[in-house]
């Protein structure tokens, strides 16, 4: 996870001092975290992911993309993951139908 911390900071174009300010810590404390001399607390993981729209799953496990595609994606995934499998399937079916309807409406608007 530590190498992803540095990767996020560099992708955002921030130096250690500026990134540390977002976390409310000193550059020295941040440097110790980034170099693996201090652990990165869950609190800071949440702050980083929230402030910079970083995909928390990617940040922790390396799976998925670095950033969330949408400000709604995190909330949607949290809700989706709390649903039982039957409800997840139903929601997916509803989303597919909604997408079809949206495409039809957009196609109709293009034909005006």
């Amino acid at each position: 996870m530590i190498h992803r911390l540095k990767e996020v900071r560099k992708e955002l174009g921030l130096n250690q001092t500026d990134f540390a300010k977002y976390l409310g810590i000193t550059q020295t404390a941040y440097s110790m975290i980034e170099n693996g001399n201090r652990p990165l607390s869950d609190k800071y993981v949440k702050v980083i992911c929230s402030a910079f729209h970083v995909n928390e799953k990617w940040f922790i496990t390396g799976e998925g993309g670095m950033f969330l595609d949408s400000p709604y994606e995190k909330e949607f995934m949290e809700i989706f993951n709390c649903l039982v499998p039957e409800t997840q399937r139903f929601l997916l079916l509803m989303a597919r139908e909604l997408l079809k309807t949206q495409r039809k409406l957009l196609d109709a608007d293009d034909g005006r």
Side-chain angles (χ1 to χ4, degrees), residues 28 30 44:
T28 302
Y30 176 80
Y44 294 128

Side-chain angles (χ1 to χ4, degrees), residues 31-78:
S31 179
M32 292 177 74
I33 293 169
E34 195 173 276
N35 290 317
N37 298 322
R38 286 178 75 177
L40 179 64
S41 73
D42 291 342
K43 170 185 156 185
Y44 294 128
V45 170
K46 298 283 186 201
V47 169
I48 291 165
C49 293
S50 177
F52 300 108
H53 298 285
V54 172
N55 180 345
E56 191 170 344
K57 184 174 182 178
W58 172 85
F59 194 77
I60 294 169
T61 69
E63 296 175 27
M66 181 185 296
F67 296 104
L68 297 172
D69 294 330
S70 161
Y72 309 110
E73 184 176 346
K74 182 178 179 181
E75 180 181 8
F76 182 83
M77 290 308 299
E78 287 172 357

